[in-house]
């Protein structure tokens, strides 16, 4: 319950925050919503000497559309994602996913950027971002670079984010009309991390799937983009035979950790089941 | 680690205090401000017994630093009643037997207070989802749902204090 002592900084701009990160080195951690970092500090799993609070940086907030892309500031809270009229209309997978994350109080503080930057395979946004083919904007002392969601997650709690960089925004192309989507999450109770989860975005034309992206949650050391499963679905109608093949490809991609949520066999089987359900729901939403 | 001066408003009263950055808001409220209504039921941010209202949002004060409240409006259960008249959510929990031991109640009340402003006419299902960040070991939730719906009705019809 009692976190170790640390110095506290509350910069007002991204530039100031990066300067602090550079100056303080890897003894400093960015404080976003604080609903993963503070719990780890309270259990003394993490003991940073300094916290750089990025809650007072206005340029990290807001959801906007420009140049054919939707830009979501990294400090946008889960509650703001769920309530956003723009996202509900143009990227409804994000509000749907956000409402399956944690609980109302946690969603008021936890941010999409923090959920991604944490790099926990149990978090939901990594797989959702993969299914959306999202791009992450990272800013460091040398300027800005962009990394695709599929290239960002390197291991458990390990991402492409450098020590002196800040994830500033998430860029996603809006759904074209008629796009189907779903996030299916098996959990023991409201507020728990997924036993297994699947995010699906797809398009159907002429009775067959023409485009699909599948992201998997908590069935490997990182979120996964299920490329073989996608290949098993392209050009096929959504029926029992196709879904059996897709689920088999998903099961082969899984490498879950056994824990109180279940053993490897159970989580693997549930990943296949979540994918089938997500595809059926997504297909029913296509037009 | 030096202390930081922090100014906030708690239940309408301006407060200025020097705090260690690591001081959790719930400890600041309970130990420095002697506002002991907010409780601590876990160390993993699940139970919601520490829920308070910060700048118009329900927040678990065990997962928020007091220094982060610089300039914030904080409301705790002690600030719910108005000149001794119970707020509708307090009256609802009393009327519908929505508490027994009372340990979750301050957090439940603060969550219900904000939830009913965000959704003034909720269904039973919306109440259960809206209160999902608050655990209770006594009531089985049934009477808490009735209490929140009772408060919603009272607020809609202006029959009790808001």
């Amino acid at each position: 319950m009692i976190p170790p002592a640390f110095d506290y900084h509350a910069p007002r701009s991204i530039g100031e925050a990066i300067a602090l990160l550079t100056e303080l080195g890897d003894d400093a951690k960015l404080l976003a919503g604080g609903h993963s970092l503070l719990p780890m500090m309270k259990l003394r799993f993490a003991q940073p000497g300094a916290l750089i609070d990025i809650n007072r940086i206005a340029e990290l907030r807001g959801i906007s559309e420009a140049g054919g892309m939707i830009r979501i500031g990294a400090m946008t809270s889960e509650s703001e994602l769920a309530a956003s009229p723009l996202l509900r209309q143009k990227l409804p997978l994000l509000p749907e996913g956000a409402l399956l994350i944690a609980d109302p109080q946690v969603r008021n503080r936890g941010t999409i950027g923090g959920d991604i930057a944490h790099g926990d395979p149990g978090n939901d946004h990594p797989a959702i971002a993969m299914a959306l083919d999202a791009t992450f904007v990272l800013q460091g002392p040398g300027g800005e670079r962009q990394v695709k969601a599929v290239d960002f997650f390197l291991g458990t709690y390990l991402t492409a984010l450098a020590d002196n960089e800040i994830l500033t925004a998430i860029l996603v192309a809006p759904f074209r009309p008629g796009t189907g989507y779903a996030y299916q999450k098996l959990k023991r109770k409201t507020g728990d991390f997924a036993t297994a989860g699947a995010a699906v975005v797809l398009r159907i034309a002429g009775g067959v799937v023409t485009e699909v992206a599948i992201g998997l949650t908590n069935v490997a050391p990182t979120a996964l983009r299920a490329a073989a499963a996608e290949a098993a679905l392209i050009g096929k109608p959504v029926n029992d035979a196709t879904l059996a093949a897709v689920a088999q490809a998903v099961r082969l991609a899984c490498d879950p950790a056994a824990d109180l949520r279940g053993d490897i066999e159970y989580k693997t089987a549930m990943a296949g089941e979540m994918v089938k359900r997500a595809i059926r729901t997504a297909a029913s939403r296509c037009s | 680690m030096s202390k930081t001066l922090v100014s906030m408003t708690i239940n309408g009263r301006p407060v200025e205090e020097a705090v260690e950055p690591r001081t959790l808001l719930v400890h600041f409220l309970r130990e420095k401000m002697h506002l002991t209504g907010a409780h601590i039921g876990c160390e993993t941010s699940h139970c919601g017994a520490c829920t308070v209202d910060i700048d118009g949002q329900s927040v678990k004060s065990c997962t928020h630093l007091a220094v982060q409240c610089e300039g914030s409006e904080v409301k705790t259960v002690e600030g719910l009643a108005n000149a001794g008249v119970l707020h509708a959510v307090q009256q609802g929990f009393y009327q519908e037997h929505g508490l027994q031991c009372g340990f979750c109640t301050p957090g439940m009340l603060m969550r219900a207070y904000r939830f009913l402003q965000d959704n003034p006419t909720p269904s039973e299902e919306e109440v259960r989802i809206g209160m999902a960040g608050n655990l209770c070991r006594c009531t089985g939730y049934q009477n808490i749902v009735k209490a929140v719906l009772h408060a919603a009705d009272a607020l809609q019809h202006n029959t009790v204090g808001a």
Side-chain angles (χ1 to χ4, degrees):
Chain A
M1 185 71 182
I2 309 298
F6 53 84
D7 287 322
Y8 174 78
H9 304 270
R12 300 301 177 115
S13 70
I14 295 173
E16 262 182 83
I18 291 170
L20 279 164
L21 270 180
T22 306
E23 177 196 330
L24 299 168
D26 59 10
D27 197 34
K29 286 289 288 180
L30 296 174
L31 173 63
H35 277 57
S36 300
L37 179 57
L38 293 178
M40 292 181 99
M41 291 173 64
K42 286 163 65 177
L43 297 171
R44 309 240 173 171
F45 292 150
Q47 309 204 10
L51 290 189
I52 302 169
D53 185 352
I54 53 174
N55 282 277
R56 292 175 191 269
I57 302 177
E59 52 194 318
L60 290 174
R61 297 193 178 275
I63 304 169
S64 56
E65 189 174 14
M69 297 292 276
I70 292 175
R71 181 189 183 282
I72 302 158
M75 289 298 290
T76 303
S77 72
E78 303 294 350
S79 298
E80 289 164 344
L81 291 181
S84 163
L86 180 65
L87 294 183
R88 284 183 177 186
Q89 190 197 343
K90 300 200 168 175
L91 280 176
L93 178 61
L94 274 172
E96 176 169 299
L99 286 172
L100 293 172
I101 294 172
D103 62 48
Q105 286 96 317
V106 175
R107 289 195 290 269
N108 285 336
R109 295 290 312 152
T111 65
I112 182 173
D115 186 283
I116 288 166
H118 190 37
D120 186 332
N123 282 3
D124 298 291
H125 278 299
I128 292 171
M130 285 181 183
L132 293 172
D133 195 26
T135 300
F136 303 148
V137 183
L138 315 182
Q139 199 169 323
E144 198 175 280
R145 65 184 178 116
Q146 298 193 348
V147 178
K148 282 282 189 187
V150 282
D151 300 321
F152 186 75
F153 301 98
L154 307 178
T156 301
Y157 304 122
L158 188 65
T159 71
L161 195 67
D163 282 347
N164 56 3
E165 282 182 320
I166 298 178
L167 168 61
T168 57
I170 293 92
L171 303 175
V172 190
F175 286 165
R176 281 170 287 149
T179 301
Y181 64 91
Y183 188 55
Q184 285 284 328
K185 177 178 179 179
L186 173 67
K187 47 188 163 58
R188 298 173 300 179
K189 56 189 167 57
T190 296
D192 193 20
F193 294 105
T195 301
V200 169
V201 176
L202 58 73
R203 296 180 61 80
I204 293 178
V208 300
V209 174
T210 55
E211 292 173 43
V212 62
I214 300 173
L216 303 177
T217 296
N218 219 10
V219 288
T222 67
L224 294 180
R225 176 98 184 240
E230 294 168 4
L233 188 54
I234 287 287
K236 306 277 173 45
V238 174
N239 59 28
D240 289 349
T242 308
L243 290 180
V246 171
Q248 176 60 13
V250 161
R251 288 191 292 266
L252 288 172
C254 288
D255 179 20
D259 59 20
L260 289 173
R261 291 187 183 87
D263 59 16
I264 290 169
E265 193 181 4
Y266 175 62
K267 290 183 175 186
T268 303
M270 288 307 102
E273 182 63 24
M274 290 304 107
V275 162
K276 286 192 203 175
R277 293 183 188 194
I279 291 171
R280 284 208 186 278
T281 302
S284 73
R285 288 166 168 174
C286 285
S287 58
Chain B
M1 306 284 167
S2 58
K3 291 191 172 182
T4 303
L5 203 60
V6 59
S7 308
M8 66 185 92
T9 305
I10 303 176
N11 298 330
R13 190 168 68 91
V15 167
E16 188 173 74
E17 285 285 338
V19 297
E20 255 193 290
R22 69 166 169 169
T23 304
L24 301 173
L25 177 61
V26 69
H27 289 138
F28 177 77
L29 292 172
R30 290 178 53 80
E31 291 167 17
K32 267 245 153 98
M33 297 293 111
H34 306 296
L35 295 167
T36 55
H39 290 144
I40 299 169
C42 73
E43 57 178 3
T44 49
S45 312
H46 286 106
C47 78
C50 63
T51 300
V52 299
D53 204 80
I54 305 178
D55 299 327
Q57 289 188 323
S58 303
V59 174
K60 294 178 177 178
S61 62
C62 76
T63 314
H64 199 72
L65 304 170
V67 284
Q68 291 185 281
C69 292
E70 174 61 36
S72 288
E73 293 267 352
V74 178
K75 196 175 181 79
T76 71
V77 71
E78 290 88 349
L80 272 187
N82 186 359
V85 178
L86 294 183
H87 185 278
V89 292
Q90 294 172 305
Q91 185 65 37
F93 273 66
Y94 166 71
Q95 185 65 35
E96 296 294 336
H97 307 284
L99 67 151
Q100 187 192 329
C101 84
F103 197 85
C104 77
T105 312
M108 287 281 181
L109 291 171
M110 292 317 295
R111 177 61 196 138
Y113 164 79
R114 180 53 53 189
F115 171 69
L116 289 177
Q117 293 180 58
D118 294 342
N119 184 352
T121 55
S123 65
E124 175 179 337
E125 188 187 1
E126 287 168 341
V127 171
R128 289 183 184 274
I129 293 170
M131 302 293 291
N134 294 74
L135 301 182
C136 172
R137 296 183 76 159
C138 297
T139 65
Y141 303 100
Q142 198 67 18
N143 286 351
I144 289 178
V145 174
K146 289 182 192 168
V148 175
L149 292 172
H150 185 280
D153 192 57
L155 287 166
Q156 285 296 299
H157 297 96
N158 264 329
T159 52
V160 289

